[in-house]
Amino acid sequence: MGKGGALSEGVVKKIVLSYTYVAIWIFLSFTVIVYNKYILDRKMYNWPYPISLTMIHMAFCSSLAYLLVRVFKAVDPVTMSWDLYLRSVVPIGLLYSLSLWLSNSAYIYLSVSFIQMLKALMPVAVYSIGVLFKKEAFKSEIMANMVSISIGVAIAAYGEAKFDTWGVALQLGAVAFEATRLVMIQILLNSKGITLNPITSLYYVAPCCLVFLSVPWAFVEFPLLKENSSFRFDYVIFGTNSFCAFALNLAVFLLVGKTSALTMNVAGVVKDWLLIAFSWSVIKDTVTPINLFGYALAFLAVGYYNHSKLQAMKANDAQKKAQQADEEAGRLLEEKEVENNDGDPKRKESHT
């Protein structure tokens, strides 16, 4: 009874912790998205400088990551040569800076709800680029699933009340660069046995992003900021916004490390629906029935895709376990055979 009670208590504790990690991640992700929208939107805080905002985030995250890695030794740095850094991290940093720049820029032109609907195209972009770089095998069934997601997003876009072509182009560009970054991480880092958690990732990648973003910033936004002499830097607004962005990275580390990437995908779907509801009810963005129908179709297709990936992962794990069991059985048979040979006098005589 005691053991059963202890087991039940342990299971309940694990479930509660998992839901807590999910809740923290959803809250922080939700906060960062709405906060960025608030700062960049001309009808709200009215500071439409997405490159500058992204650079503030990167400078803040670089500083905190340096303190955690080098000063407080909270996380061990990854052993990395300059050659590997230049060939692997720098291209990833370039893609990340472009993705962040374009995605933040989209908040100026599009509603939060519609941006979340467009983000449903991420599996399509990742799979297509993976096939292009031969990291994924082309399968007609998966491609049909990708087409279903695309049709759903297209319907949602058709029903968008405040459709902005430039905003859509920016968000689609952000999705393309982010998908390419994820594939490049597999090719340039994971294939070499290097894995970066969110803190070490920021430690290596954030300074690189800051340098890349400074180039367009000098030509695009610096002249505008120079003219806007009335603006005063609000340390509370930008400080808390940057801290939320950094905390979100830690929450990703916590959620994936303590649960799984699949849990994060499921939590992401919940977050998207919450953001759509918030955008409609609080920010008063227009969400049409066609919007919802299209996104629901895309959502079902994404759910099926995640389910298929989970089944494939389970089958792969089962195959690996069966292979390991066969290898172990073969090794035991060989050992038994050696023992029998050593204990057989006739075999010993024949060897002599």
Side-chain angles (χ1 to χ4, degrees):
M1 180 73 179
K3 287 182 181 178
L7 180 63
S8 299
E9 187 179 339
V11 170
V12 169
K13 186 178 178 182
K14 189 175 179 181
I15 292 170
V16 169
L17 282 174
S18 296
Y19 276 107
T20 303
Y21 299 139
V22 168
I24 291 170
W25 179 79
I26 288 177
F27 172 76
L28 287 170
S29 181
F30 190 100
T31 302
V32 168
I33 290 169
V34 174
Y35 212 157
N36 286 352
K37 173 67 175 177
Y38 167 75
I39 290 172
L40 294 166
D41 197 296
R42 288 189 173 90
K43 295 177 183 177
M44 298 180 189
Y45 188 75
N46 191 26
W47 199 71
Y49 304 108
I51 306 176
S52 301
L53 182 63
T54 309
M55 287 179 70
I56 292 168
H57 287 173
M58 291 299 102
F60 186 90
C61 291
S62 297
S63 303
L64 274 187
Y66 180 85
L67 289 173
L68 287 171
V69 173
R70 291 297 181 186
V71 179
F72 298 110
K73 311 288 185 183
V75 179
D76 293 327
V78 176
T79 304
M80 190 179 298
S81 65
W82 271 106
D83 181 59
L84 180 62
Y85 182 83
L86 291 172
R87 286 188 295 105
S88 299
V89 176
V90 169
I92 290 168
L94 173 61
L95 292 166
Y96 193 38
S97 62
L98 291 169
S99 170
L100 290 172
W101 171 16
L102 297 184
S103 62
N104 281 334
S105 298
Y107 286 113
I108 300 172
Y109 304 96
L110 303 177
S111 67
V112 170
S113 57
F114 188 43
I115 285 174
Q116 300 313 119
M117 293 176 190
L118 291 175
K119 283 181 180 178
L121 286 170
M122 185 60 73
V124 180
V126 171
Y127 178 72
S128 301
I129 293 168
V131 170
L132 185 65
F133 284 96
K134 298 181 179 177
K135 292 300 292 182
E136 294 274 1
F138 179 85
K139 294 181 180 177
S140 55
E141 182 185 349
I142 297 178
M143 186 50 70
N145 191 224
M146 298 299 106
V147 171
S148 299
I149 296 172
S150 302
I151 290 171
V153 173
I155 292 171
Y158 177 76
E160 177 61 18
K162 296 178 181 178
F163 186 91
D164 186 284
T165 305
W166 179 238
V168 171
L170 288 170
Q171 185 55 48
L172 293 180
V175 168
F177 283 123
E178 179 63 11
T180 307
R181 182 183 76 91
L182 295 173
V183 174
M184 287 296 106
I185 287 173
Q186 294 180 34
I187 295 172
L188 299 177
L189 290 178
N190 294 354
S191 61
K192 295 179 176 66
I194 297 172
T195 54
L196 300 176
N197 63 50
I199 299 174
T200 51
S201 178
L202 287 173
Y203 175 76
Y204 289 108
V205 176
C208 186
C209 287
L210 191 59
V211 172
F212 280 122
L213 288 166
S214 64
V215 177
W217 177 80
F219 294 99
V220 178
E221 291 187 4
F222 177 66
L224 297 174
L225 286 165
K226 208 172 177 182
E227 289 176 11
N228 190 10
S229 55
S230 61
F231 172 76
R232 291 184 180 180
F233 190 85
D234 192 325
Y235 288 94
V236 175
I237 291 288
F238 292 101
T240 52
N241 178 249
S242 299
F243 182 79
C244 287
F246 183 80
L248 177 60
N249 281 278
L250 298 186
V252 171
F253 179 48
L254 190 69
L255 180 61
V256 176
K258 299 296 183 181
T259 57
S260 67
L262 182 66
T263 303
M264 184 175 167
N265 286 340
V266 175
V269 171
V270 175
K271 178 206 70 178
D272 290 344
W273 280 110
L274 287 173
L275 277 167
I276 291 169
F278 180 86
S279 176
W280 170 72
S281 61
V282 178
I283 304 177
K284 301 302 179 183
D285 287 330
T286 304
V287 179
T288 67
I290 298 176
N291 272 149
L292 294 176
F293 173 75
Y295 182 66
L297 182 63
F299 158 72
L300 290 173
V302 170
Y304 178 77
Y305 175 68
N306 287 334
H307 173 73
S308 301
K309 282 189 72 175
L310 177 62
Q311 295 304 315
M313 285 168 61
K314 284 182 177 178
N316 191 38
D317 288 343
Q319 188 177 358
K320 283 182 180 178
K321 286 178 182 178
Q323 188 177 351
Q324 287 173 356
D326 289 342
E327 288 174 358
E328 183 67 18
R331 188 180 63 79
L332 290 172
L333 283 172
E334 285 178 8
E335 288 177 0
K336 190 72 175 173
E337 217 174 284
V338 170
E339 285 176 10
N340 290 339
N341 289 343
D342 289 343
D344 190 340
K346 290 181 180 179
R347 291 184 184 249
K348 285 183 181 178
E349 286 174 11
S350 65
H351 284 303
T352 54

